[in-house]
Amino acid sequence: MATEQELSDFLKSVEKRAFKRSIYHVRDEEAALDIVQEAMMKLAEHYGDKPTGELPMLFQRILSNCTLDWFRRQKTRNALFSNMSDFESASDDGEFDLLESFAFGEGTQQAESAEDATRRAQILREIEFHVQELPARQREAFLMRYWEDMDVAETAAAMGCSEGSVKTHCSRAVAALGKALRAKGIQP
């Protein structure tokens, strides 16, 4: 069972990587920070009594679920709060041009297109699905190395195996994921 200090140390060790991963997914620093904090709170509240070795995998799953929950909330919020008052013109002259309200101002960044966002989400779902299909040791090594951004030595210590075993597990996982994604028409 993880002590309070071990749990605290674990959370400190993963916060930067989790934040980086969340920013990649949601493209919003404040939202990413909220997601990471929510995931950390859930881990501490619900799984703080688990053995230290189980914390990395639990945290990754919680972080993934918190990210998906954020996307669901955004979709719901956008559907509920989109009304005609959002499209009123700034001039109050009674004129309303829907295209003007969606025009991007100079100097602003154009948001990711819906097609690109959907494709990225689909690819991530495929990757997550296929990662879950990997044998346990390959999945563990892959997630620690490439999602948690741990080096080979850290991963070996966390898994209780040699560095060579970590490299072998990662190599096999990457090969299996590449093959599965290519079969779906996704170029890794």
Side-chain angles (χ1 to χ4, degrees), residues 51-72:
T52 309
E54 292 182 18
L55 295 179
M57 295 297 281
L58 286 168
F59 182 72
Q60 286 306 312
R61 176 50 50 202
I62 293 169
L63 185 62
S64 294
N65 288 341
C66 287
T67 303
L68 289 173
D69 289 346
W70 181 84
F71 279 110
R72 288 182 192 116

Side-chain angles (χ1 to χ4, degrees), residues 126 130 174-188:
E126 285 294 327
H130 290 294
V174 168
L177 288 172
K179 181 179 178 182
L181 293 175
R182 279 190 293 279
K184 296 277 186 173
I186 300 169
Q187 291 301 315

Side-chain angles (χ1 to χ4, degrees), residues 3 8 19 25 27 44 46 52 55 65 73 75 79 85 94 99 103 107 111 118 120-121 149 158 160:
T3 65
S8 177
F19 182 65
H25 287 297
R27 310 247 188 234
H46 301 289
T52 309
L55 295 179
N65 288 341
R73 284 191 303 270
K75 183 179 178 184
S85 66
L99 294 177
T118 301
R120 184 169 49 87
D149 217 15

Side-chain angles (χ1 to χ4, degrees), residues 39-97:
M40 289 180 164
M41 292 297 295
K42 286 183 178 183
L43 180 74
E45 289 173 5
H46 301 289
Y47 302 101
D49 60 341
K50 295 289 184 185
T52 309
E54 292 182 18
L55 295 179
M57 295 297 281
L58 286 168
F59 182 72
Q60 286 306 312
R61 176 50 50 202
I62 293 169
L63 185 62
S64 294
N65 288 341
C66 287
T67 303
L68 289 173
D69 289 346
W70 181 84
F71 279 110
R72 288 182 192 116
R73 284 191 303 270
Q74 289 302 108
K75 183 179 178 184
T76 302
R77 184 175 293 123
N78 290 341
L80 291 175
F81 296 112
S82 179
N83 58 39
M84 289 310 286
S85 66
D86 294 338
F87 303 116
E88 290 177 359
S89 67
S91 63
D92 276 339
D93 60 2
E95 296 289 321
F96 172 70
D97 185 354

